[in-house]
C-alpha cells in the first residue's frame, strides 16, 4: 500500500476523535475566553464587547477572592492528605499479609459510589443532633453550619472518595520497583526505614508526581459535595464556596454567563499555569529510571 | 526474636487496616440502616443504630414521588453511549497515531491531548449554548452527545499500541489488509485488557457525573440518577429514610457491577497506571 492511501486511512481513523474534540471541547474553550470579554443582554441575543470589564468587576469582588481562597485551601488540605494516606495504605497492602484483596475492594468501594449519593449520607452522619459522628466523638459540633468545620467535612468526604483510586495507582507504582534494589540493600544491612526513605520514595516519585497532578486538577474543580452537603441556603456556604460553585451560580442561577465565564477562565489559567510549573519542576525532583 | 517483631508489625498493620476499612464502610452501612428506619427513628436522640422493624416506606415513597424509572433509563442510555463510542473512536485514533506516520500527526495528537488540562466546567456554558441552538436542552441526547470521544483513552491506548511488536502487522500488510482491517482484526484483540480498563473508567465516570446533567436538563423525566437524587433533597428535606433509599437505589447498580468485575476494575486501574 502506498503512503498516500495510508495517510487517507489515518485521517479517516482519527476523524471522529479530532472533530469531536474540536467541536465539543476545543471551540468551547475559545468561546469561554470570548464570553469573558463580552456582555450579553436580552437572553443572549445581544452580545457586545466590553473589554476587561468582567475581570475588573472580578478583581473588585470580595466574594471572588473569598471563593478563590476557599478553593486553594481545599486543594492545599485535600491533595497532601490524600497522597499521604494513599501511600500509607499502598505500602501496608504491599506487604505479605492476609486479606489484601479484601482490603483493596473495601478501600476502592467509595470510588465506585456516586458522589451525589455519598454526599447525602455524609449529611446524615455529620448532623449536629442525631449524627453518628457527634455521637461517637461525644461532641455536639455544628459540622455543617460552621465555616471552618464545613471545610473540614468537605476534605474528609473528598479524601474518603479518593483514597481507593490513588492507593491502587501507588500500589501499581510500588510493585514496579525492582526487587533487586531491596535485596542489595539487605546485603548492606539497611534498616527498614532507610530502605523506605532511600529506595521506595525515590523510585515512587514518577507515580506520586502523576497522581498529584490528577488529584490537583480534580480538586480545583470541587462542586458536587458543596452543592449537596452544604447547599445554597447554608450560612457556611461563603466559607466553602469554590470557584466552580460560583461559576455555576453566576452562569445558571443568576443567568450572567459572561461573569460566570470570567470566573471559570481564572480557574483555566490557574490549572494551565500549575500544570506547566509541575512539568517544569518534574525534571528536578522526579527520578525516572 | 526476629520473627516475633515481624509478627508484631503484622498485627499493627492489620489493626490499622481493619480500623480504616470500617471507617470506609460506615457511610454504606449507615445509608442502608437509615433507609430502613422510620422518619422518627432516623432523627431520634439518643441515636438508634437499628430500626425496630425494617420499614420499606423510604423506598416506596422515593419511587412513587420521583421518576426513578426515568432516572435509571436516562443514566443507562447516557452511560452506554459515553462508554461504547469513546472506546471505538479512541482506539481507532490511537492506532493511527501509534502506527501511521502522517503529515501533522504529532501536532494533531498534542492538540487532542491539550484539552485534558482544561477543567470541565470551562466547556459547560458554550456546550449549553450549543445544545440550546440545536434545540437539545432537556433531552436525553444532550446528556451524552458532547462526550462521544475521550482524549485520555486515546492517549492511553496509543501507549499500548506502541508497545506491540510490528511483525504481526507487516505480515498482514503483505496480505493486502488496509490499516483499518489491521486495527480491527489484529491490533484490537491484543489490547483487550486496556479496552476493559477504559470501559470501566468511562462507565464509572458517566454513571456518577452530576454537574452537566444538573445544568442541561431540568425536567424530572430527563434527569439522571445523580441529578435526580439531588432534587430529592429539595422535595423531601429532612425525610432521611426516603433520601437514603434514593441514594441506595442510585449506587447499587454500580456496586453490583464492581463486585462482579472487581478483578477487572482493580487491575484495570493498575494497568492504566503502569502505562500512563
Amino acid at each position: 500500500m502506498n503512503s498516500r492511501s495510508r495517510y487517507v486511512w489515518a485521517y479517516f481513523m482519527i476523524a471522529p476523535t479530532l472533530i469531536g474534540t474540536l467541536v465539543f471541547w476545543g471551540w468551547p474553550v475559545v468561546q469561554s475566553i470570548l464570553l469573558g470579554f463580552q456582555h450579553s443582554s436580552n437572553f443572549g441575543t445581544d452580545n457586545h464587547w466590553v473589554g476587561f470589564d468582567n475581570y475588573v468587576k472580578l478583581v473588585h469582588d470580595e466574594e471572588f477572592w473569598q471563593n478563590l481562597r476557599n478553593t486553594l485551601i481545599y486543594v492545599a488540605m485535600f491533595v497532601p492528605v490524600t497522597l499521604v494516606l494513599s501511600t500509607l495504605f499502598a505500602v501496608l497492602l504491599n506487604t505479605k499479609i492476609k486479606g489484601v484483596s479484601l482490603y483493596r475492594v473495601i478501600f476502592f468501594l467509595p470510588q465506585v459510589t456516586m458522589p451525589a449519593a455519598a454526599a447525602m449520607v455524609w449529611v446524615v452522619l455529620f448532623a449536629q443532633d442525631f449524627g453518628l459522628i457527634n455521637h461517637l466523638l461525644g461532641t455536639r459540633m455544628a459540622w455543617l453550619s460552621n465555616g471552618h468545620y464545613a471545610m473540614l467535612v468537605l476534605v474528609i468526604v473528598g479524601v474518603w472518595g479518593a483514597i481507593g483510586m490513588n492507593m491502587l495507582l501507588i500500589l501499581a507504582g510500588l510493585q514496579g520497583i525492582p526487587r533487586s534494589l531491596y535485596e542489595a540493600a539487605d546485603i548492606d544491612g539497611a534498616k527498614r526505614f532507610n530502605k523506605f526513605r532511600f529506595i521506595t520514595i525515590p523510585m515512587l516519585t514518577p507515580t506520586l508526581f502523576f497522581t498529584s497532578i490528577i488529584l490537583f486538577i480534580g480538586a480545583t474543580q470541587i462542586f458536587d459535595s458543596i452543592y449537596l452537603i452544604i447547599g445554597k441556603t447554608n450560612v457556611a456556604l461563603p466559607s466553602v464556596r469554590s470557584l466552580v460553585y460560583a461559576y455555576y451560580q453566576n452562569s445558571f442561577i443568576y443567568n450572567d454567563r459572561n461573569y460566570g465565564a470570567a470566573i471559570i477562565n481564572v480557574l483555566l489559567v490557574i490549572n494551565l499555569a500549575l500544570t506547566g510549573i509541575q512539568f517544569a519542576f518534574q525534571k528536578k525532583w522526579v527520578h525516572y529510571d | 526474636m526476629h520473627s516475633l517483631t515481624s509478627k508484631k508489625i503484622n498485627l499493627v498493620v492489620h489493626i490499622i487496616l481493619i480500623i480504616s476499612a470500617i471507617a470506609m464502610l460506615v457511610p454504606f452501612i449507615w445509608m442502608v440502616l437509615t433507609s430502613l428506619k422510620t422518619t422518627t427513628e432516623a432523627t431520634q436522640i439518643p441515636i438508634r443504630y437499628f430500626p425496630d422493624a425494617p420499614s420499606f416506606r423510604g423506598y416506596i415513597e422515593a419511587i412513587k414521588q420521583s421518576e426513578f424509572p426515568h432516572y435509571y433509563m436516562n443514566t443507562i442510555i447516557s452511560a452506554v453511549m459515553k462508554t461504547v463510542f469513546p472506546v471505538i473512536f479512541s482506539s481507532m485514533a490511537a492506532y493511527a497515531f501509534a502506527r501511521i506516520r502522517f503529515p501533522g500527526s504529532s501536532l494533531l495528537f498534542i492538540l487532542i491531548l491539550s484539552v485534558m488540562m482544561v477543567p470541565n466546567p470551562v466547556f459547560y456554558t458554550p456546550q449549553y449554548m450549543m445544545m440550546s441552538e440545536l434545540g437539545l436542552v432537556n433531552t436525553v441526547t444532550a446528556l451524552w452527545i458532547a462526550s462521544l470521544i475521550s482524549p485520555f483513552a486515546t492517549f492511553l491506548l496509543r501507549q499500548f499500541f506502541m508497545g506491540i511488536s510490528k511483525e504481526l502487522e507487516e505480515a498482514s500488510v503483505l496480505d493486502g489488509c488496509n490499516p483499518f482491517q489491521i486495527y480491527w482484526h489484529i491490533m484490537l484483540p491484543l489490547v483487550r485488557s486496556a479496552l476493559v480498563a477504559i470501559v470501566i473508567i468511562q462507565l464509572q465516570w458517566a454513571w456518577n457525573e452530576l454537574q452537566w446533567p444538573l445544568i442541561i436538563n431540568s425536567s424530572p423525566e430527563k434527569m439522571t440518577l445523580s441529578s435526580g437524587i439531588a432534587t430529592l433533597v429539595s422535595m423531601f428535606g429532612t425525610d432521611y429514610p426516603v433520601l437514603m433509599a434514593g441514594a441506595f437505589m442510585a449506587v447499587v447498580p454500580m456496586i453490583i457491577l464492581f463486585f462482579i468485575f472487581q478483578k477487572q476494575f482493580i487491575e484495570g486501574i493498575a494497568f492504566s497506571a503502569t502505562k500512563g
Side-chain angles (χ1 to χ4, degrees):
Chain A
M1 183 174 292
N2 63 38
S3 58
R4 180 61 109 12
S5 76
R6 274 175 71 79
Y7 294 167
V8 175
W9 277 109
Y11 289 122
F12 161 74
M13 291 173 81
I14 66 164
T17 299
L18 183 64
I19 295 167
T21 306
L22 292 178
V23 171
F24 290 111
W25 302 20
W27 172 237
V29 174
V30 176
Q31 227 177 345
S32 180
I33 293 166
L34 297 180
L35 279 170
F37 294 119
Q38 291 176 340
H39 186 77
S40 328
S41 45
N42 297 332
F43 304 103
T45 50
D46 181 19
N47 296 319
H48 52 270
W49 297 95
V50 294
F52 282 91
D53 278 9
N54 290 317
Y55 293 96
V56 171
K57 186 180 162 194
L58 204 65
V59 172
H60 292 104
D61 186 351
E62 264 305 306
E63 198 184 287
F64 163 73
W65 292 106
Q66 178 69 45
N67 298 337
L68 178 62
R69 202 155 43 230
N70 293 340
T71 309
L72 296 179
I73 290 171
Y74 175 78
V75 172
M77 288 164 81
F78 166 81
V79 175
V81 173
T82 307
L83 268 186
V84 168
L85 288 180
S86 306
T87 309
L88 172 75
F89 289 134
V91 168
L92 295 183
L93 290 183
N94 200 31
T95 52
K96 287 186 213 111
I97 52 159
K98 280 182 194 143
V100 167
S101 56
L102 181 65
Y103 288 126
R104 273 200 311 198
V105 167
I106 292 173
F107 288 165
F108 198 72
L109 204 53
Q111 173 70 33
V112 298
T113 306
M114 182 180 289
M120 289 160 76
V121 191
W122 286 109
V123 169
V124 182
L125 288 168
F126 277 110
Q128 188 175 6
D129 299 318
F130 55 89
L132 180 68
I133 291 174
N134 271 343
H135 173 75
L136 293 177
L137 295 175
T139 53
R140 272 197 81 249
M141 304 235 272
W143 289 103
L144 302 174
S145 52
N146 172 306
H148 296 294
Y149 298 154
M151 180 61 88
L152 199 60
V153 168
L154 294 177
V155 173
I156 293 171
V157 173
V159 170
W160 173 81
I163 282 180
M165 174 71 119
N166 293 286
M167 180 199 75
L168 284 184
L169 294 175
I170 295 168
L171 194 56
L174 282 174
Q175 283 162 354
I177 301 174
R179 286 262 134 248
S180 56
L181 288 177
Y182 292 105
E183 284 155 13
D186 283 336
I187 293 168
D188 294 342
K191 288 210 171 69
R192 199 185 275 257
F193 176 78
N194 282 343
K195 280 191 282 183
F196 183 75
R197 169 70 187 79
F198 294 107
I199 300 173
T200 311
I201 291 292
M203 291 303 287
L204 206 55
T205 48
T207 311
L208 292 176
F209 173 72
F210 168 78
T211 318
S212 66
I213 291 185
I214 307 246
L215 273 175
F216 180 88
I217 292 178
T220 57
Q221 298 177 42
I222 178 175
F223 169 81
D224 295 11
S225 52
I226 301 176
Y227 182 82
L228 282 156
I229 296 179
I230 307 303
K232 53 175 178 271
T233 55
N234 192 317
V235 290
L237 181 61
S239 327
V240 295
R241 180 169 30 215
S242 66
L243 289 177
V244 173
Y245 192 94
Y247 154 78
Y248 169 80
Q249 220 173 12
N250 279 287
S251 307
F252 298 103
I253 309 292
Y254 308 148
N255 285 318
D256 187 351
R257 63 187 191 201
N258 300 101
Y259 195 52
I263 296 172
I264 206 66
N265 289 345
V266 171
L267 187 66
L268 173 65
V269 171
I270 292 175
N271 270 2
L272 292 182
L274 275 149
T275 321
I277 291 169
Q278 278 178 309
F279 272 105
F281 274 94
Q282 172 183 13
K283 288 195 189 77
K284 272 189 140 173
W285 60 270
V286 173
H287 300 250
Y288 282 106
D289 228 334
Chain B
M1 185 63 205
H2 182 79
S3 76
L4 189 71
T5 43
S6 75
K7 245 183 202 165
K8 260 188 200 160
I9 287 169
N10 258 349
L11 187 68
V12 173
V13 168
H14 268 297
I15 290 169
I16 296 173
L17 287 174
I18 288 169
I19 292 171
S20 317
I22 292 170
M24 297 301 265
L25 287 176
V26 162
F28 297 100
I29 299 167
W30 209 247
M31 185 192 283
V32 175
L33 287 178
T34 309
S35 75
L36 297 172
K37 289 176 185 170
T38 63
T39 315
T40 17
E41 281 173 332
T43 55
Q44 201 166 313
I45 306 161
I47 198 165
R48 292 186 75 105
Y49 288 93
F50 299 97
D52 265 343
S55 145
F56 287 92
R57 188 197 64 95
Y59 291 86
I60 295 162
E61 282 296 303
I63 292 169
K64 262 205 311 213
Q65 302 292 328
S66 57
E67 304 282 347
F68 261 92
H70 279 122
Y71 300 163
Y72 275 117
M73 226 26 231
N74 299 341
T75 308
I76 291 168
I77 292 170
S78 117
V80 167
M81 299 301 276
K82 282 159 140 177
T83 304
V84 171
F85 282 98
V87 168
I88 296 171
F89 291 158
S90 301
S91 60
M92 267 166 65
Y95 173 74
F97 280 125
R99 279 299 203 261
I100 305 170
R101 287 190 161 273
F102 56 95
S105 65
S106 46
L107 186 74
L108 292 174
F109 184 63
I110 290 169
L111 188 74
I112 289 172
L113 281 201
S114 61
V115 299
M116 271 166 62
M117 303 301 161
V118 178
N120 276 334
V122 171
F123 307 125
Y124 292 157
T125 308
Q127 286 182 350
Y128 183 92
M129 290 158 62
M130 206 183 290
M131 295 302 139
S132 155
E133 267 164 49
L134 296 169
L136 289 175
V137 175
N138 264 323
T139 63
V140 177
T141 312
L143 293 171
W144 51 261
I145 189 84
S147 312
L148 297 181
I149 43 118
S150 167
F152 171 72
T154 309
F155 168 73
L156 198 63
L157 285 165
R158 174 177 166 273
Q159 304 285 96
F160 277 96
F161 283 129
M162 290 192 344
I164 294 171
S165 113
K166 284 187 177 154
E167 283 166 25
L168 278 167
E169 280 168 278
E170 277 154 11
S172 23
V173 171
L174 294 178
D175 289 342
C177 290
N178 67 44
F180 187 82
Q181 290 167 320
I182 297 172
Y183 148 78
W184 189 257
H185 293 295
I186 298 167
M187 297 295 270
L188 213 48
L190 293 176
V191 292
R192 202 180 293 131
S193 44
L195 294 177
V196 171
I198 286 161
V199 165
I200 283 164
I201 293 169
Q202 288 289 121
L203 199 64
Q204 198 183 303
W205 163 74
W207 189 271
N208 294 335
E209 195 192 13
L210 173 68
Q211 206 178 356
W212 176 247
L214 202 62
I215 288 169
I216 197 70
N217 290 352
S218 55
S219 25
E221 67 276 16
K222 304 295 181 203
M223 286 182 174
T224 61
L225 284 164
S226 214
S227 59
I229 61 168
T231 61
L232 279 183
V233 179
S234 54
M235 279 164 64
F236 288 94
T238 53
D239 194 343
Y240 295 111
V242 180
L243 299 183
M244 292 303 99
F248 182 75
M249 288 191 284
V251 300
V252 98
M254 214 53 206
I255 288 181
I256 291 174
L257 267 186
F258 172 57
F259 278 121
I260 299 173
F261 296 107
Q262 46 171 292
K263 197 164 160 260
Q264 284 81 354
F265 266 73
I266 285 170
E267 279 172 6
I269 301 295
F271 208 55
S272 58
T274 54
K275 294 280 174 173

